[in-house]
Amino acid sequence: MVHTRGKAQLSYQGRNHSRARRAISGLAAITSLLFSGGAAAGDGSHGRHHATAEILWDQFGIPHIYGSDRLTVVRGLGYAEMENHAETILMNVASARGRSAEYFGPGASNANINNDITVRTEGIPSRAQFWLLTGGVEQAAVIQAFTDGANEYAGRHGDTINPLFQQVLPLVPTDVTAGIQNVVHFHFMPEHDNLPALISAWQSGGIAAANAVACSFTPGCSTGAVVARSDTLGGSNGWAIAPTKSVSGNAILMGNPHPPWGNNSPVPGLGIYQWMEVNLVIGDPEKPKLNASGVILMGAPFIGIGYSDEIGWTHTDNTIQNTNLYELTLNHGIYNFGGIPLPLLPRTDTIKIRQADGSLSTQNIDIFASVHGPIVARNGNKALALRVAGLQQPSVVTQYWRMIQAHNLDEFIAANSALQMPFFNVIYADQDGHILYVFGGQQPMRQGGAWGKYSGILDGSDPSLLWTSTFAWSQLPRAIDPPGGFVANSNDPPWTSTFPQTATNDPAGFPAYVSPLFMDLRAQHGAGFLRSSPSLTLAQILTGKESTHMLLADRVLPDLINAANLSGNPIAKQAAATLTAWNRNAGAQSKGAVLFEAWWVIVSNDPNLAKDNTINFYSPHPAFRVGWTASDPLNTPAGLANAAATVPDLILAAQQVAATYSALGGLNVAWGDVHRIVLAIHDPTFQQTIPVSNDPQSGADDPFGPMRVIFRFLAPDGKHFWAYSGDGYVQLVEFTKEGAKASALLGYGNASRPGSTHVTDQLPFFEAKTLRPTYRTRDEVEKHTVSREVVY
């Protein structure tokens, strides 16, 4: 069965129901305004009209969309997204509407029913209407143009869409505002804060068990032997290099987000993370008002990461903590808040469930909320309430269009400082030579304490723990044109985003709760590379970004190899010989990396070994001989606290690797013979996943510290590992005086339709660790056009 939500999710209910009712009643007014053209501006930015968009498709399935004004281009964008991803978009829409079970049935293990209950509990459908009204006429016009284009594609080419998905049509404007909330506020943010892991631990062991899990990923917390891998599905790398550090004298931007690979992954239920690369051109194609390129999440009417001829940015997940769980003790629906008994606020909703015979059954759901937010879990007389930042910031679409239409740093900051997007670091560069890092999003103002105080489940009876306001942009950590000549982030805290540190990203100038203090190995890898040369070429930057070197091996292998040799155990000594000969990379041909990975997985989860608490934010590690320190951030941690105690785990790893891969070289098995890139397409109903590649992988999981990160899972055969996330999109942009010169890659392809040829066509570049050229001038696009369409 089709199921639209791949992981256990959380809930949120809007607290101001009267405002939501006003939003619903006001939709007629805004719709009337759009249809009347009363909001129209001279550049066509507002109101509806009937100019035509031209779409030129290149050989990689990338649409180059031309129009006289923004709304015309956006209409073409809606059309193009459906052409490449109709089924993915419609599944995402069904999920965000809270109607997956109505369209597709209960789903495997009732996944669709659970999705719909969760979405209704989160209040997404009603809040989507509220956002549409309060987000402004400019945003509403963009959204309307987008859905018009999407529906035009469905009207022309509905026969290419299976009837299972046709029932979701037509798209309506609230599908866009609901989709943003579903993806950002209720997937990215709670997952990044490890809330699913906390809920699971709480349900089995109460608040003590949950907070032990929280401690295990809180730097500085005494972790004992608890191990809890972060639930984050990806990360990102972002670099901006100033002209003073660029051989060409131009600013350079490298963007490399790491979300899951959408429906082109062999793992089901990841469609909300699907990127699509686009080129949007407004005005005269020869002298456009805007020539923008980048990637878009499916169902969104704006570029999420991208660049124009004048400016560009990328995002990385930041260490902002702006979702929280609060435990309540209930007594017949009453909870204590600051010594005052308060009742849970109830409401009801109804979902529909499609049966095997096509009929629909109904299920009533009771939803409750406290002053903190909706109740998302119960256990006896205990309940958890969820609080999520950013739900009162409805104008994400407007913010991103103003960002891409900015001409310089000041205009970009003016757009970004609206903080309608509650999450993500921003790494920026421009044609004038400016670079910027900002710890973006909605940072709660709290009443003192360190980051770890808020990383677990909070006491819902204590009003001092309930945040009600957030930082302004000017209060966030940031670095603008720093003296070191670069800004960089690989999901580390803001304090290490440039070297030397500046006054505006010095932790001493911010409350301790803003972010923990640590620097993970991948971030160290990147900063070390950027500091390795006084100036860098584009080719050097690409080589640095594509590095598969396991920095972790540099830090711990000498101690491990010495302990293994001293043990006298023949298996340990043989393993040490393999690791000594290894090049410490995770290249497809690297021999020894599989053994190192197997040992690290075992040793990191060994309950008999003490755990590190200095870089434990994303991944568990055994205790290091020297933990990470802010005084030596690029050379620590180092060594193993008890190397001899890790040798039995090395012996076990060697035995497992030798037995499992005896036909592939045993301990000397090549990394790419075990780790594979398996991309997938689907049948027209998305009931069947069809692998279409099985290529050797270069790149490793995050704990090992490579720049080229690839997250993996154990394949069905129990021997191989298949990639599902990580190094997907890359953009490398140089801002010359003539405009942006760029290369890019979307390794898992630009389409997800059944039978598409644009799933594996960029894989050869990915395997070669290089990028493909981007076509930005009209002449370049014309030379590589394989088909044309007009959207009316």
Side-chain angles (χ1 to χ4, degrees), residues 12-203:
Y12 189 87
Q13 173 188 341
R15 292 175 296 280
N16 195 326
H17 303 299
S18 64
R19 294 178 72 184
R21 286 195 293 270
R22 291 200 299 272
I24 294 168
S25 66
L27 285 177
I30 200 167
T31 302
S32 174
L33 182 62
L34 293 176
F35 273 86
S36 69
D43 66 351
S45 295
H46 308 123
R48 300 181 75 179
H49 56 91
H50 299 287
T52 59
E54 184 183 22
I55 305 177
L56 277 59
W57 294 91
D58 69 25
Q59 74 268 38
F60 298 107
I62 298 169
H64 303 260
I65 305 170
Y66 296 85
S68 59
D69 55 73
R70 180 171 64 180
L71 295 188
T72 299
V73 168
V74 170
R75 185 182 177 104
L77 176 61
Y79 187 102
E81 285 191 32
M82 285 289 285
E83 184 152 348
N84 271 11
H85 296 283
E87 294 79 9
T88 293
I89 291 171
L90 295 174
M91 283 189 284
N92 292 349
V93 165
S95 175
R97 287 177 182 172
R99 296 174 65 185
S100 294
E102 176 182 343
Y103 298 131
F104 309 130
S109 301
N110 289 328
N112 292 340
I113 295 175
N114 293 334
N115 170 85
D116 296 351
I117 292 173
T118 300
V119 167
R120 305 300 180 91
T121 303
E122 290 163 352
I124 290 176
S126 60
R127 194 183 304 104
Q129 294 177 313
F130 178 70
W131 276 25
L132 187 63
L133 174 64
T134 61
V137 174
E138 177 184 352
Q139 174 168 279
V142 169
I143 291 173
Q144 185 68 59
F146 178 81
T147 55
D148 285 348
N151 290 329
E152 181 174 339
Y153 176 83
R156 286 200 212 174
H157 304 290
D159 60 336
T160 70
I161 303 172
N162 189 273
L164 182 68
F165 301 109
Q166 288 183 19
Q167 61 184 323
V168 181
L169 294 164
L171 269 63
V172 296
T174 50
D175 290 330
V176 173
T177 50
I180 292 169
Q181 294 174 39
N182 192 35
V183 174
V184 176
H185 299 74
F186 297 106
H187 278 83
F188 280 159
M189 291 164 60
E191 288 169 0
H192 192 270
D193 285 340
N194 289 291
L195 298 199
L198 295 182
I199 291 175
S200 178
W202 177 85
Q203 288 174 324

Side-chain angles (χ1 to χ4, degrees), residues 331-364:
N331 182 9
H332 301 290
I334 304 296
Y335 64 98
N336 170 45
F337 185 67
I340 300 172
L342 295 176
L344 293 177
L345 298 178
R347 65 182 174 92
T348 59
D349 206 336
T350 302
I351 63 171
K352 297 179 181 180
I353 305 167
R354 187 166 298 279
Q355 305 301 305
D357 63 1
S359 64
L360 293 173
S361 65
T362 60
Q363 179 176 326
N364 295 325

Side-chain angles (χ1 to χ4, degrees), residues 62-67 70 73-74 77 276-285 287-296 301-313 400-406 729 731 733 735 739-740 742 774-777 781:
I62 298 169
H64 303 260
I65 305 170
Y66 296 85
R70 180 171 64 180
V73 168
V74 170
L77 176 61
M276 173 174 154
E277 189 175 353
V278 300
N279 175 216
L280 308 180
V281 183
I282 298 175
D284 181 350
K287 296 180 179 179
K289 298 175 185 177
L290 176 70
N291 186 350
S293 299
V295 286
I296 289 174
F302 58 86
I303 288 175
I305 290 175
Y307 56 95
S308 68
D309 280 324
E310 296 168 291
I311 64 96
W313 77 88
Y400 273 77
W401 267 103
R402 291 182 180 178
M403 285 162 58
I404 199 63
Q405 290 183 294
Y729 177 66
Q731 62 182 29
V733 188
F735 292 97
T774 61
Y775 311 132
R776 290 183 41 79
T777 68
V781 173

Side-chain angles (χ1 to χ4, degrees), residues 293-419:
S293 299
V295 286
I296 289 174
L297 284 172
M298 287 305 86
F302 58 86
I303 288 175
I305 290 175
Y307 56 95
S308 68
D309 280 324
E310 296 168 291
I311 64 96
W313 77 88
T314 190
H315 285 313
T316 63
D317 291 2
N318 52 353
T319 53
I320 197 168
Q321 186 177 189
N322 57 7
T323 65
N324 281 114
L325 293 166
Y326 295 83
E327 185 183 63
L328 308 175
T329 300
L330 302 178
N331 182 9
H332 301 290
I334 304 296
Y335 64 98
N336 170 45
F337 185 67
I340 300 172
L342 295 176
L344 293 177
L345 298 178
R347 65 182 174 92
T348 59
D349 206 336
T350 302
I351 63 171
K352 297 179 181 180
I353 305 167
R354 187 166 298 279
Q355 305 301 305
D357 63 1
S359 64
L360 293 173
S361 65
T362 60
Q363 179 176 326
N364 295 325
I365 54 176
D366 295 318
I367 300 168
F368 297 90
S370 69
V371 295
H372 316 82
I375 302 303
V376 298
R378 289 178 182 260
N379 191 352
N381 70 333
K382 303 290 186 180
L384 294 182
L386 171 68
R387 193 164 188 81
V388 176
L391 296 177
Q392 301 301 320
Q393 282 70 43
S395 304
V396 175
V397 175
T398 298
Q399 174 180 318
Y400 273 77
W401 267 103
R402 291 182 180 178
M403 285 162 58
I404 199 63
Q405 290 183 294
H407 299 288
N408 52 51
L409 177 61
D410 288 342
E411 292 183 8
F412 182 85
I413 290 176
N416 185 250
S417 62
L419 294 180

Side-chain angles (χ1 to χ4, degrees), residues 429-443:
D430 67 28
Q431 192 177 38
D432 295 331
H434 295 296
I435 60 173
L436 161 74
Y437 162 83
V438 63
F439 184 74
Q442 294 283 326
Q443 168 62 53

